[in-house]
Amino acid sequence: LLYAGDRSGAEGMCRRAVDVAQQHDDAEGLARALLALRVTREGPEHLAARLADAERAVVAAARTDDLELRLETVRLRLLDLLAAGDLAAADDAIADATALVDGLGRPLHRWYPPMWRATRALMDGRFVDAARLIAEFGEEGRRAHYAATDHVVTIQRLRLHLDTGDDPEALHAVERHAQADPDRWSFAPALVLARLGRHREAQAHVDHYARRPDAVPEDLARSSILAMLAEAAAEVGDAGTAATLAPLLEPYRDQVLVLGSGALCLGSGAYALGLCRRTAGDLAGARDLLEAAVAHDDAVPAPAAATWARAELAATLADLGDDERARSVAREAADAAGTLGMRPVLDRLTAAHLIGSGR
C-alpha cells in the first residue's frame, strides 16, 4: 500500500498488525509490525511518535532470540534519538548495537559501529579520531560489499573537510558523485566551490535544484541535502533559492539533522533555516534562529556545529549593527574553533573582520 501511494492505508494496516501482535503476546510480530509502522511515519512531524514506538520495538525484540531483529530495532531507535538530540541515550544505543553486531559476528553488519563512531567524532570536533574512523568504516564497508560505502566515506570526508579544510581531494570526490547522480549530490560541489570563492561554478550546481524544486530526494538524505544546499545558497548570496528552501527546512528547526543510517549529524536544523532567513533578507529572524541553533547545539552537545552557529550568529549580529555583541560572540566562536582545529571558521571570522588575522 505504501509504495502504491496509499500512506494512510499502509499506516492503518500496520496499526492493525500491532494490535493483533499485542493481543497474542507475539513479541517478534509486535517488533516487526512496529518497524513496518515506522516506515509510514518517516517525516519530522512524527519524531515523537517514532521514538515512543521505537522503545516498544526494542523491548519486544529483546524478548526474542533474533539478533538481527534486535539490531534493527536498536539501529532505527538510534536514528530517532540522534534527531531528538538525546546524545546520552544515542551513545547507549550505539553501545547496544555494537554488542549485537559482535554477537552476530557477520561482516554484513560490522561497518555500522565505525560509521556511527565517525559521526560522533565529527559532532564532537575530534577530527583526528574522525579521519581514522572514516577509514575504518571504509575498510569494513568494502569487506562487507556494502554498496554505499564510497558514498558514506565521501560525505563523511566532506564534512571533515568543511570543518577543518584538510582534505584537498574533497572537491574531486563530490564532483564525481554529482556527475553520476546530480539530484543526490549537486549540493556538495556547490558548497565546496562556494567555500573556495568559485561562486559562478557553485551557482551552477545550486541552480540544478532551482530548476527542479522536486529534485531533492524524499528519503533519509532529504534534511541533510536541504541544509547543505542552504549553506551553499548563503555562500553565493542566492536569495531566491534561500527563500524556496526555508519552508522546506521549517519542519526540522527543532531537530538535529541526521543523514541516512547515521552517516552524519549536522546539528540543529535551526542553523540552516537561519542562514536561509538571512540570505533572503530577514536579519532579525535569522538572528533568532541562529541563537536557537547555538543553544540547541550546546545542549546536545554538538561542539562543531555550535562553533559554526556562533560564527554565523556573529556575522548576522554585525549585519544588524550590534557590533559589540557580534565581536563577543565571534570571540567565543574563535576560541572554540582554535581549540577544535576548525580553520575554516577562523577564516570566515577574519574575512568578516570580526577577529584579527593573527588568530
Side-chain angles (χ1 to χ4, degrees):
L1 288 173
L2 178 65
Y3 297 112
D6 185 1
R7 183 174 296 273
S8 177
E11 182 177 350
M13 289 294 291
C14 290
R15 289 187 184 280
R16 286 180 60 189
V18 168
D19 291 341
V20 170
Q22 286 179 315
Q23 290 167 9
H24 291 82
D25 194 27
D26 180 354
E28 179 180 348
L30 177 59
R32 294 189 184 281
L34 288 166
L35 291 178
L37 178 61
R38 185 186 191 283
V39 178
T40 71
R41 299 188 297 178
E42 290 186 333
E45 69 276 16
H46 298 301
L47 177 59
R50 288 201 309 271
L51 276 168
D53 286 344
E55 176 63 27
R56 294 171 64 198
V58 168
V59 171
R63 295 173 53 200
T64 77
D65 295 325
D66 189 333
L67 295 186
E68 285 189 288
L69 177 61
R70 290 164 64 182
L71 174 60
E72 186 67 357
T73 60
V74 173
R75 180 184 74 85
L76 292 172
R77 179 171 178 262
L78 167 61
L79 303 187
D80 292 332
L81 290 168
L82 288 170
D86 190 344
L87 211 53
D91 285 343
D92 287 344
I94 290 174
D96 291 343
T98 300
L100 288 165
V101 167
D102 291 342
L104 283 162
R106 299 173 188 168
L108 178 65
H109 307 103
R110 288 198 180 279
W111 55 267
Y112 277 127
M115 181 186 72
W116 293 325
R117 289 196 291 266
T119 293
R120 289 290 291 107
L122 289 167
M123 291 178 73
D124 289 346
R126 295 182 286 109
F127 298 120
V128 173
D129 290 343
R132 173 180 57 80
L133 289 162
I134 293 168
E136 182 182 333
F137 159 76
E139 292 174 4
E140 293 290 356
R142 284 185 284 272
R143 184 176 296 116
H145 302 288
Y146 174 45
T149 297
D150 187 45
H151 290 183
V152 175
V153 168
T154 298
I155 201 67
Q156 290 189 328
R157 286 181 58 188
L158 171 63
R159 189 67 255 171
L160 182 63
H161 173 69
L162 292 171
D163 286 344
T164 67
D166 288 342
D167 189 351
E169 295 300 314
L171 178 59
H172 172 73
V174 296
E175 284 185 325
R176 174 167 52 84
H177 286 303
Q179 288 174 358
D181 190 350
D183 287 359
R184 193 167 291 278
W185 280 95
S186 288
F187 73 91
L191 183 50
V192 177
L193 288 164
R195 290 273 185 92
L196 291 171
R198 294 161 60 177
H199 287 185
R200 182 174 297 180
E201 296 167 84
Q203 185 69 60
H205 288 286
V206 172
D207 286 345
H208 172 78
Y209 299 100
R211 289 191 299 269
R212 293 181 53 230
D214 61 342
V216 179
E218 293 272 1
D219 59 20
L220 295 178
R222 181 175 177 81
S223 65
S224 297
I225 291 175
L226 290 172
M228 288 190 272
L229 182 58
E231 290 187 72
E235 290 277 357
V236 301
D238 186 343
T241 295
T244 299
L245 290 173
L248 303 179
L249 283 162
E250 180 68 36
Y252 301 96
R253 66 184 294 169
D254 297 321
Q255 297 179 18
V256 172
L257 304 183
V258 181
L259 173 63
S261 292
L264 279 184
C265 287
L266 297 180
S268 175
Y271 173 73
L273 184 56
L275 294 182
C276 287
R277 297 291 188 212
R278 188 179 71 197
T279 306
D282 180 7
L283 293 179
R287 175 200 59 209
D288 294 345
L289 284 161
L290 291 168
E291 286 175 340
V294 169
H296 190 181
D297 288 332
D298 280 347
V300 170
T307 301
W308 276 112
R310 279 188 168 81
E312 296 298 347
L313 174 59
T316 304
L317 291 167
D319 289 343
L320 284 164
D322 191 348
D323 293 339
E324 182 176 353
R325 187 166 175 234
R327 293 190 180 280
S328 175
V329 174
R331 285 193 295 271
E332 293 175 2
D335 288 345
T339 298
L340 296 174
M342 297 177 70
R343 184 74 234 177
V345 173
L346 296 173
D347 291 343
R348 172 66 56 83
L349 294 169
T350 301
H353 306 291
L354 290 165
I355 61 171
S357 58
R359 291 295 295 250

